[in-house]
Amino acid sequence: MMHPLPNSLTRETAPVVALHSSASGAHQWDDLRTQFSDRFELHAWDLPGYGSADDRLDEGQGVSRAALPIIRKIEALKQPVHLIGHCFGGGVALKIALLRPELVKSLTLYEPAAFHVLKAADAEGRSLLEGFSALETQLSQPKSASDLQGFVDYWTVPQSWASLPPERQDKLVELAPKLLEDFRDLESEQWHLSDLQALRIPTLIMVGMESPALAQATAQMIAQEVDNAELALLPAMGHMAPIFDPDWVNPRILQHIARVQKAARPVTWPARVAA
């Protein structure tokens, strides 16, 4: 159970912006909004190309096509934000931090989709990237709902697809073109791991220990490059934990934001006269 924090956190906390995963939407963060509504101002926007947000750029390359419209929204808030991202939203959050670090007060990422960094990995890492690229084929021409079974089971657990109600399966088929667009933006991203070394943003990266090796390897490579980044390994959690297990993920988000926002002040002992 979440215990209330002092109300002063609300008055002094920077806004929070939460970016959802592929095949999801701003509603992904409804639990976070409800649990922490009295603690900070949360902005959960549909990523460009999802929901009511049709503003993904036609020009440009890579994740910038989604990141630049979000940057404009953050600029409108007139102050740096605590930035949260899951999966594709995590990749967008990283891109925002690289393009406009002055807009980001803290980063909280759950398995950010920045799989292009595996191009610089060892043979095992590169083979993971090849497997990821193979998933694109399943999204390019889905003729029926069952054509997406491998994709869904890869990111969740085996037999997940079979357990979905037919209407949810049909919705995923409808979203396949958006997923394919996300994949292609991720594959064409150009920043290098070494670029992350310039970031001086307090960063928490969470990884589910039951997640695909691709997501785990990517998160660990990123955490190694970001200065003083914290890598949190979550037992029994998978890639979709922010959606399926928010009670495990959301408290860690709040902890990181609160720690950054309310950094400990120097402590001095009261003066005493020696006996």
Side-chain angles (χ1 to χ4, degrees), residues 230-269:
E230 177 185 354
L231 181 66
L233 305 179
L234 306 186
M237 297 293 106
H239 182 67
M240 304 307 291
I243 297 175
F244 296 147
D245 298 289
D247 288 343
W248 283 95
V249 175
N250 290 352
R252 288 165 172 80
I253 294 174
L254 175 64
Q255 180 186 45
H256 181 60
I257 292 174
R259 185 167 53 200
V260 172
Q261 189 70 39
K262 306 286 283 186
R265 297 171 182 169
V267 175
T268 58
W269 295 103

Side-chain angles (χ1 to χ4, degrees), residues 4-254:
L5 293 181
N7 288 335
S8 61
L9 187 60
T10 300
R11 293 193 295 271
E12 300 176 17
T13 300
V16 176
V17 171
L19 305 179
H20 62 82
S21 69
S22 293
S24 187
H27 59 83
Q28 170 180 326
W29 302 108
D30 283 352
D31 281 343
L32 186 67
R33 187 193 304 277
T34 299
Q35 290 174 5
F36 305 145
S37 61
D38 61 337
R39 305 175 190 190
F40 52 70
E41 176 188 347
L42 176 67
H43 300 270
W45 300 315
D46 285 324
L47 286 169
Y50 286 89
S52 59
D54 295 326
D55 51 351
R56 189 171 300 195
L57 300 179
D58 293 329
E59 71 276 7
Q61 186 180 42
V63 180
S64 291
R65 299 177 59 241
L68 292 175
I70 298 295
I71 285 175
R72 289 197 290 267
K73 292 183 176 183
I74 294 175
E75 288 175 331
L77 298 177
K78 305 296 186 184
Q79 60 179 311
V81 302
H82 297 287
L83 191 55
I84 304 166
H86 170 214
C87 187
F88 184 69
V92 174
L94 265 178
K95 187 68 173 183
I96 292 170
L98 287 166
L99 291 173
R100 297 290 302 278
E102 76 280 6
L103 295 179
V104 183
K105 189 175 183 69
S106 75
L107 272 175
T108 309
L109 308 174
Y110 194 98
E111 298 181 8
F115 308 130
H116 70 286
V117 302
L118 292 171
K119 295 175 184 177
D122 57 18
E124 182 179 358
R126 293 194 300 273
S127 70
L128 293 173
L129 184 59
E130 291 171 2
F132 168 74
S133 298
L135 291 175
E136 185 176 314
T137 304
Q138 299 179 19
L139 295 175
S140 57
Q141 295 292 332
K143 297 181 177 59
S144 66
S146 61
D147 291 338
L148 292 179
Q149 178 175 350
F151 172 84
V152 172
D153 288 356
Y154 179 87
W155 289 111
T156 51
V157 295
Q159 305 305 315
S160 289
W161 176 263
S163 68
L164 292 175
E167 59 270 20
R168 180 55 182 162
Q169 293 180 351
D170 292 342
K171 181 64 175 177
L172 286 171
V173 172
E174 179 184 331
L175 286 172
K178 295 184 185 297
L179 287 165
L180 185 61
E181 187 175 17
D182 293 349
F183 271 37
R184 290 176 173 168
D185 283 349
L186 291 171
E187 287 185 321
S188 62
E189 188 51 59
Q190 297 295 315
W191 59 263
H192 301 285
L193 275 171
S194 59
D195 296 332
L196 299 175
Q197 297 173 6
L199 294 180
R200 295 295 182 269
I201 298 170
T203 300
L204 168 66
I205 299 176
M206 290 180 278
V207 180
M209 294 180 68
E210 299 300 322
S211 293
L214 170 84
Q216 292 189 22
T218 301
Q220 290 176 29
M221 291 178 70
I222 291 170
Q224 289 172 358
E225 299 297 327
V226 178
D227 187 54
N228 291 322
E230 177 185 354
L231 181 66
L233 305 179
L234 306 186
M237 297 293 106
H239 182 67
M240 304 307 291
I243 297 175
F244 296 147
D245 298 289
D247 288 343
W248 283 95
V249 175
N250 290 352
R252 288 165 172 80
I253 294 174
L254 175 64

